[in-house]
Amino acid sequence: MANQIHDLRSAIEFLKQHENQIVYTNSEVDCEAEISGIYRYVGAGGTVMRPTKIGPAMLFNHVKDYEHSKVLIGLFASRERVGLMLGCEPDRLGFLLNDALNHPVDPIEIPQAKAKCQEVVHLSTDEGFDIRKILPAPKNTLEDAGPYITMGLCYASDPDTKAGDITIHRLCLQSKDELTMFFTPGVRHIDAFRKKAEGNQNNLPISISIGVDPAIYVTSCFEPPATPLGFNELSIAGGLRGKPVELTKCLTIDEMAIANAEYVIEGELVFGQRMREDINTNTGKAMPEFPGYTGVADQALPVIKVKAITHRKNPIMQTCIGPSEEHVNLAGIPTEASILNMVERAMPGRVLNVYAHSSGGGKYLAILQFKKSIPSDEGRQRQAALVAFSAFPELKHVILVDEDVDIFDSNDVLWALTTRYQGDLDTVFIPGVRCHPLDPSSSNLYHPSILSTGIACKTIYDCTVPFIQKERFKRSSFKEVNLSDYDIKPLK
């Protein structure tokens, strides 16, 4: 049962009970792009370059130069597996998170003596301290700017209100005690906290927890307006599990961390300090991002000065491939919940389900299943799409389909696009709107009419049947049978 999961290790034990959900290797592997190179073929999926596939998570038990550490990749790289770990059917995950959003349970603090994340302590003042030798952080590709922490849950607090927030960010290991931190412009709460601290010429204490209960990872990916500034996403994880997330005080900074994390990095975002992301490689590239392309190295990123690293005995480093199905589920399921939340409030009962599609990395493309019940529902489907854009500002495209289309079956969605859509009649363009800077087509390098990076034309593809013609577009109806009544065997 999913209720037996309370940390990363219990999640792994749980998956062992289910066929083809987790595999391992005892062969020695190198963090220098080899882990991602292997997992691409095992189960990466998403927008990773083909060939790839949806498959099991993978545990690497023998990592070169890290004798006592393991690396886990792909925990969330299957919607089915996410459903198993959260105790929910895969196609209802958006509804599950929406319910947790509406029934939050605030985190609690436990004593440091009970915090498993502090079983082993490395202080930056220790002789020979080097985060690169403690953390088996992989490179996704050989041209990455450096080793990256891709599953680091960054926790910081508002300098004024002390309200905490948790988010996943792109973190690159740059020196023995420095990380760079990438912020998507304008949408991250911790970035707002950093700017407040810098406005007062102060550093911002920050902890980075790696390897926790899967419920915490999924709920940490909610974004405004579903979770406005001051809303702690850990309370959604508490609502999801029906019990509070346990935090503990850090050892060297005035901040909290997740008490049962495999690793915790303690540090400060340093006032006024910036660093070029590829300072060690000069490739001009960062790492593969969710749209399927390698991101451009940022020229001036905020810097975290590391004060300490704590971890459990024999820790497990959790990581992911940037463009994999893992990102799709981590980003996409909260996106679905946010859209369901806002659309249901605006027009109850009309949107039956939402899927943040894999090809959009869980962010750019949403399929909305809309039911027209009365003549006056005509046109409301497009209003629902507009609400979806408001619910998740980084969304670029919305495809609207009827209730008889399976939104999780891309062939069925494309069938609706082919037989229930006319480009000149059923397309709504909303040009010049802020979307996401990692979309390479949202740049004036793509077209001079695009004013700045991250500006896009949001588009609605209305593949719903006009209400007055629903009978004409009725799908062929087949006889219902029970397959268990038939003795079906493979032909040999």
Side-chain angles (χ1 to χ4, degrees), residues 104 106-107 155 163-166 189 227-228 230-237 247:
D106 288 335
Y155 192 88
D165 185 83
I166 197 158
H189 294 175
T227 53
F231 189 107
N232 190 335
E233 287 85 357
L234 289 177
S235 64
I236 312 176
L247 301 175

Side-chain angles (χ1 to χ4, degrees), residues 56 91 134 150 170 194 228 231 234 243 250 255 272 303 327 339:
D91 62 352
I134 300 169
T150 55
R170 184 171 99 199
R194 177 187 64 82
F231 189 107
L234 289 177
K243 58 183 179 182
C250 293
E255 194 48 271
V303 176
H327 185 282
I339 293 171

